[in-house]
Amino acid sequence: MNDETPVTPETSEQKISVKPPVAPTFVPKATPVVEAVTAPKGEEPLLEVNDLNTWFPIKKGIFARTVGHVKAVNGVSFAMKPGETLGVVGESGCGKSTLSRTILRLEKAHSGSVSFMGKDVFSMKGEDLLQYRRDMQVVFQDPHATLNPRHSILDILTEAMLVHGLITKDQAQDVAGELLRDVGLQPDAMFRYPHAFSGGQRQRICIARALALRPKMIICDEAVSALDLSVRAQVLNLLMELKKKYSLSYLFITHDIGVVEHIADNIIVMFKGEIVERGTAENVLLHPQEAYTKRLIAAVPRV
């Protein structure tokens, strides 16, 4: 199958096409103090990260003693309000994926805190943790690695809903068909297996699986980086439409600063585990203050 058909309900809104921003010429300025992003007054943040550190030990010697740490995430703080799309940008190895995995509790934090809807994520247990797993979903970079080749698309889409008791087995096919229509695939695709789909279609299935539990927030960890340029634009349009339809928030992680130009409300730029610049997407892209951010913009390929 091909990814040639644009996926979206009819809408009068202008669709995006992925193109890199043009790097302007800037007059050097003094380096600004990076302050923590906070939600507007009177509005409780959906996600709040405070002084988060995720360090990995360096061990040496026959007794494997810890002689130091790799500070993958070092003193990161930010907050997201409901309905916001926050872009996290940086080169490979800057710590952005480790940040997302720590928020998801797939990596253990060295120190700091993460709060979701006012609750401490690291202390959650039982029903609170189960609800957090439902409200916080993720779409990874490689759809081939995240879809079980032995499971049909029907099983992949409905397994979590059955575990959470949201549907019965009799309702599974109807719900799976609706999810597939949401991401622009035909309902009969539920009876096939992941190998029968192209990379872009597999990523749509991963998005449908993330939508299945009706989360409040989705972490997109390099979700479009492995896709062709035209398919990337289709998937970005799809994500924007689903955000409006289901009132979603996105933590959108990418190394391509040209991609977040189209989808992010605010941007934070990471370098060596730390946030070096942050602000609205427009300000960061048009008026970057840090030399590193300017290099990221200048490095975007141009045709």
Side-chain angles (χ1 to χ4, degrees), residues 200-215:
Q201 290 167 334
R202 288 176 189 158
Q203 197 64 295
R204 296 180 194 276
I205 293 168
C206 291
I207 294 171
R209 179 177 59 184
L211 287 173
L213 296 178
R214 295 294 182 260

Side-chain angles (χ1 to χ4, degrees), residues 72-296:
V73 177
N74 191 27
V76 169
S77 299
F78 64 87
M80 290 179 60
K81 62 183 180 181
E84 178 184 350
T85 298
L86 177 64
V88 181
V89 185
E91 63 189 0
S92 297
C94 71
K96 53 190 187 299
S97 290
T98 303
L99 171 63
S100 70
R101 292 176 63 85
T102 306
I103 292 172
L104 291 165
R105 285 185 51 166
L106 299 179
E107 298 286 356
K108 187 175 181 180
H110 179 80
S111 62
S113 65
V114 175
S115 298
F116 185 75
M117 298 179 64
K119 295 183 178 180
D120 181 13
V121 170
F122 297 152
S123 64
M124 286 181 178
K125 296 180 181 178
E127 291 296 326
D128 286 341
L129 182 57
L130 191 65
Q131 184 64 43
Y132 178 65
R133 298 294 191 202
R134 176 180 172 182
D135 290 336
M136 178 75 76
Q137 291 291 300
V138 60
V139 178
F140 291 107
Q141 178 177 359
D142 185 1
H144 179 74
T146 56
L147 297 176
N148 191 326
R150 297 187 177 185
H151 286 186
S152 69
I153 304 305
L154 173 62
D155 293 335
I156 289 171
L157 294 182
T158 59
E159 180 181 16
M161 290 186 283
L162 291 170
V163 169
H164 283 265
L166 301 179
I167 62 171
T168 64
K169 288 187 177 181
D170 294 336
Q171 299 170 316
Q173 289 191 18
D174 291 337
V175 173
E178 185 63 30
L179 286 170
L180 290 169
R181 279 189 287 267
D182 274 344
V183 297
L185 297 176
Q186 294 299 318
D188 60 1
M190 74 177 76
F191 301 111
R192 305 212 296 275
Y193 288 79
H195 72 271
F197 298 90
S198 66
Q201 290 167 334
R202 288 176 189 158
Q203 197 64 295
R204 296 180 194 276
I205 293 168
C206 291
I207 294 171
R209 179 177 59 184
L211 287 173
L213 296 178
R214 295 294 182 260
K216 293 180 173 60
M217 182 174 176
I218 297 178
I219 295 179
C220 299
D221 190 355
E222 301 279 12
V224 298
S225 297
L227 305 179
D228 293 338
L229 196 63
S230 60
V231 179
R232 186 181 304 180
Q234 294 174 23
V235 173
L236 287 174
N237 283 325
L238 172 64
L239 290 170
M240 293 168 69
E241 289 167 2
L242 293 173
K243 175 184 176 180
K244 292 183 179 179
K245 183 175 181 179
Y246 293 111
S247 301
L248 294 169
S249 298
Y250 292 133
L251 184 65
F252 197 89
I253 295 170
T254 180
H255 64 271
D256 188 348
I257 200 168
V259 171
V260 294
E261 172 190 15
H262 304 289
I263 193 171
D265 301 311
N266 297 294
I267 294 176
I268 60 177
V269 180
M270 291 188 66
F271 179 61
K272 293 185 177 179
E274 300 179 356
I275 296 176
V276 296
E277 186 163 355
R278 68 178 90 213
T280 65
E282 181 179 4
N283 286 340
V284 171
L285 291 169
L286 296 181
H287 307 289
Q289 302 297 311
E290 290 291 323
Y292 177 71
T293 308
K294 296 175 187 178
R295 291 199 299 270
L296 285 178

